[in-house]
Amino acid sequence: MDVVHLETDILVIGSGAAGMMAALEAAKDGASVILADRSLIGRSGATIMAQMTVAVALGSQTPDSWEHHLADTLAAGRELCDVSLAQLVCEEGPRDILQLDAWKVGWARNDDGSIRQALAPGHDRPRCVYVDFLSTGPAVAKTLRGRVLRQKEVTRIGDLYITDILVTDGVATGAAGFSLADGRPVAVKAKAVVIATGGLTRLYQRNSASANMGGDGYALALRAGAELTDMEFVQFFPIGHLAPRLVGMDPIMWDPFRYKLGGRLLNAEMREFVNDYGNEEAGTYNVTRDRATFAILSEVKAGRGSPAGGAFLSFQHIPAETLRASFGPVIDRLAANGIDLTQMPIEVAPIAHYHMGGVKVDAQMRTSVPGLFSCGEANGGANGANRLSGNAITEAFVFGRTAGRTASLHARSAGNADAPVRAGALDLVSAVTPDGGEIHAGLIADLQQTMAVNVGPFRTEEGLRRALVAIADLKTRLGALPPGAPGPYNMARLDWFDLRTMLLVAEAVTRSALLRKESRGAHQRDDFPAMDPAFVLHHTVKLAGDDIVLDRAPVEGRTLCEVA
């Protein structure tokens, strides 16, 4: 099958908010950009699914500063934030929010015309902007997509599955992959490559992400020779919808309901319990996500969970007119699902939502591989052990813009534009093998079950070792080559490539969790239930041949006490 050869100054892989921001920034000075995505440009990934708020210290609602935002971010991160990265998000976030405002994203307004800001869990004051509580992510994605469509320097290529970064003499020089539409191998030569592929929550059976969030960027970075960091820290959104059945609505939609209106988390005894676990909500409903997750699952383990295995979230104490005034159209959509919040509680439980770990970068979004950059949720370090509510889209804006600028500067001086695509780079995507054998979609489901049971919010050495055995078995069953032949939308081959990625990333998460013998933030070990000062450090991950190698690295920047 003929190979499609493409060439550009900068290749951006992933077209969520971070990828689109990177493409826009890189193209500002005239650099040619290919914005590639395995799905639809601007309509895949996590951004379009983010329905709620964006944290930024505008001070339009209450006096605020980026230093206050940073202090809350570091407190949520449990001493593990890379302060240079966290500061970048907090200090430069307002610039990007105002830029999106100028681009007519439609931030909600106060009566005086100022941008409205809401209080969210973990913040010391109202700091989160939004379009409305169900449409913020789609509005952001639509606005950025419109800007990209008008940018002539950006070539948009959807349905392009990138399998590997091309590296020549230690420098990133492009990428290899295949077209989902016709199966043809694709080689992209580029002076700089930006990873913007999002997180890994598809590794878990119950998750809030799109189906393409299986950790693609982490695997790409590892195979290219870059480092990962903090891979053990998977954030579970504490009040993901569990029951009754909810169709056509985001499973994490309950957060603004709870902190805006005071939704009560109740156990099977219909008693509020969050403060039983060392929290002090005191009616403010602002406990951070890791602590709320711990409280809910602890009640379930103690036999005081709801019938479906979570907790009750009740708004029955809120007058109907107050509910409608705050969330009018949502109330009608809930009614269509048979849910009347004035008459019944709903059941909620933690759901895999975000990943704090990822590609190790500096404050310019450079990886350890020259010419390779990373941004958005694909990055690790900024959030430490637990992400502060609302920081994800802010991080996508800031890191995406920074990566695009740095990649553009690198491309101007790069001498690798003519690096050849080496023989063998496309062998994997071009391979033709017999059909039949394992059903890889089923193996993906097995991996998701393994991760949910053994590498979820509560972990033990025994469970983590069981997970590693299961991952090793699945690796053997994966085989060395994809099944069948390249062709249009060959889902069996796509499942093989997805499983190849997911197994590598799952092993990185599991081995990192096994090494961290303490409980901190989103990483909770039943066999090591306390935080240990000896683990104020990062675990880094690299590949040596086909083997994952872990190391330890110090936490960069100032301590929380020094900042506060």
Side-chain angles (χ1 to χ4, degrees):
M1 183 173 284
D2 292 339
V3 176
V4 178
H5 289 278
L6 304 171
E7 189 168 338
T8 186
D9 291 330
I10 298 160
L11 170 64
V12 179
I13 307 169
S15 68
M20 288 191 284
M21 285 290 281
L24 289 169
E25 187 69 19
K28 279 174 61 173
D29 295 328
S32 63
V33 180
I34 288 179
L35 178 61
D37 199 292
R38 56 179 288 175
S39 185
L40 298 173
I41 297 294
R43 291 182 170 90
S44 68
T47 301
I48 201 165
M49 301 181 70
Q51 297 193 355
M52 297 178 293
T53 57
V54 185
V56 61
L58 290 180
S60 62
Q61 196 85 15
T62 304
D64 201 358
S65 70
W66 68 262
E67 291 93 343
H68 292 305
H69 186 188
L70 177 61
D72 288 345
T73 297
L74 298 184
R78 309 288 186 260
E79 301 180 84
L80 290 193
C81 293
D82 180 320
V83 178
S84 65
L85 296 177
Q87 179 172 330
L88 188 68
V89 172
C90 298
E91 190 170 7
E92 297 200 6
R95 165 183 169 174
D96 292 316
I97 294 301
L98 295 176
Q99 178 65 80
L100 266 290
D101 192 47
W103 289 344
K104 309 299 184 186
V105 72
W107 301 126
R109 298 313 239 234
N110 294 309
D111 292 340
D112 63 2
S114 60
I115 295 176
R116 186 179 300 166
Q117 295 191 269
L119 181 66
H123 294 270
D124 70 343
R125 65 198 71 200
R127 184 177 289 132
C128 292
V129 305
Y130 57 96
V131 174
D132 66 42
F133 283 118
L134 287 181
S135 301
T136 299
V140 165
K142 180 181 179 181
T143 301
L144 291 176
R145 189 168 64 247
R147 302 298 299 187
V148 167
L149 289 172
R150 292 193 290 271
Q151 184 58 259
K152 63 181 178 60
E153 289 82 6
V154 179
T155 300
R156 307 171 309 279
I157 304 178
D159 282 351
L160 176 55
Y161 192 112
I162 300 296
T163 59
D164 290 280
I165 304 295
L166 300 178
V167 179
T168 305
D169 299 328
V171 178
T173 56
F178 62 95
S179 166
L180 290 169
D182 58 21
R184 287 193 295 172
V186 178
V188 184
K189 289 201 295 186
K191 298 176 183 178
V193 179
V194 179
I195 292 172
T197 50
L200 53 62
T201 44
R202 190 189 173 197
L203 292 182
Y204 291 87
Q205 193 173 46
R206 179 171 153 77
N207 66 76
S208 66
S210 60
N212 57 8
M213 300 282 282
D216 289 13
Y218 309 138
L220 288 171
L222 272 180
R223 290 194 289 263
E227 285 185 309
L228 308 182
T229 186
D230 296 337
M231 292 299 287
E232 61 266 44
F233 294 109
V234 181
Q235 185 174 73
F236 289 80
F237 189 88
I239 52 173
H241 188 85
L242 186 60
R245 187 168 183 241
L246 186 66
V247 178
M249 302 182 77
D250 191 336
I252 66 164
M253 59 169 285
W254 294 112
D255 212 28
F257 273 69
R258 183 167 191 258
Y259 62 69
K260 185 174 182 180
L261 296 177
R264 294 172 177 166
L265 278 175
L266 309 173
N267 61 16
E269 300 167 353
M270 305 309 287
R271 177 179 62 82
E272 290 192 80
F273 59 85
V274 172
N275 287 353
D276 295 348
Y277 297 92
N279 305 303
E280 296 180 0
E281 285 201 312
T284 58
Y285 301 97
N286 65 349
V287 66
T288 54
R289 291 174 177 178
D290 57 338
R291 295 187 184 279
T293 293
F294 179 81
I296 292 169
L297 293 183
S298 294
E299 288 295 293
V300 173
K301 286 174 65 177
R304 296 187 292 271
S306 65
F312 291 107
L313 178 61
S314 175
F315 298 91
Q316 291 168 269
H317 59 293
I318 306 294
E321 57 271 19
T322 303
L323 284 167
R324 183 162 290 280
S326 298
F327 299 102
V330 183
I331 300 301
D332 295 330
R333 291 177 67 183
L334 289 171
N337 280 272
I339 298 173
D340 181 350
L341 296 181
T342 66
Q343 300 297 317
M344 59 187 289
I346 52 99
E347 293 183 62
V348 295
I351 185 171
H353 177 57
Y354 184 88
H355 188 223
M356 276 71 69
V359 183
K360 184 175 174 57
V361 297
D362 64 13
Q364 299 303 313
M365 305 300 115
R366 294 177 294 218
T367 73
S368 56
V369 177
L372 182 61
F373 307 86
S374 182
C375 58
E377 190 179 347
N379 288 1
N383 298 291
N386 180 61
R387 176 175 66 80
L388 183 65
S389 176
N391 272 9
I393 292 182
T394 317
E395 176 184 79
F397 291 157
V398 173
F399 287 175
R401 176 171 48 78
T402 304
R405 182 181 66 246
T406 309
S408 181
L409 291 171
H410 175 86
R412 288 183 205 169
S413 59
N416 60 5
D418 297 323
V421 177
R422 292 182 173 177
L426 295 167
D427 286 353
L428 195 61
V429 296
S430 304
V432 176
T433 61
D435 282 316
E438 294 281 7
I439 305 298
H440 293 99
L443 299 187
I444 288 173
D446 291 345
L447 176 62
Q448 291 173 321
Q449 172 71 6
T450 290
M451 295 298 287
V453 171
N454 299 298
V455 201
F458 289 128
R459 302 161 176 178
T460 64
E461 179 167 349
E462 180 184 4
L464 293 169
R465 292 197 182 281
R466 275 199 307 269
L468 289 174
V469 170
I471 290 168
D473 176 63
L474 289 169
K475 278 186 174 181
T476 300
R477 296 168 68 185
L478 174 71
L481 295 171
Y489 297 105
N490 186 330
M491 299 310 294
R493 284 176 72 91
L494 178 63
D495 288 338
W496 186 92
F497 279 102
D498 276 349
L499 184 58
R500 171 187 181 236
T501 285
M502 294 169 73
L503 287 170
L504 178 60
V505 176
E507 184 176 355
V509 172
T510 306
R511 290 197 181 281
S512 297
L514 188 60
L515 197 60
R516 184 169 291 277
K517 299 181 186 300
E518 65 156 359
S519 290
R520 185 182 297 267
H523 168 78
Q524 296 289 319
R525 288 281 298 263
D526 279 353
D527 44 357
F528 296 97
M531 280 203 301
D532 184 344
F535 283 93
V536 180
L537 51 82
H538 300 292
H539 288 141
T540 60
V541 180
K542 289 195 74 172
L543 271 186
D546 293 329
D547 297 326
I548 285 177
V549 177
L550 272 74
D551 203 352
R552 299 183 174 193
V555 176
E556 300 293 336
R558 297 163 290 171
T559 66
L560 175 59
C561 294
E562 288 170 334
V563 172

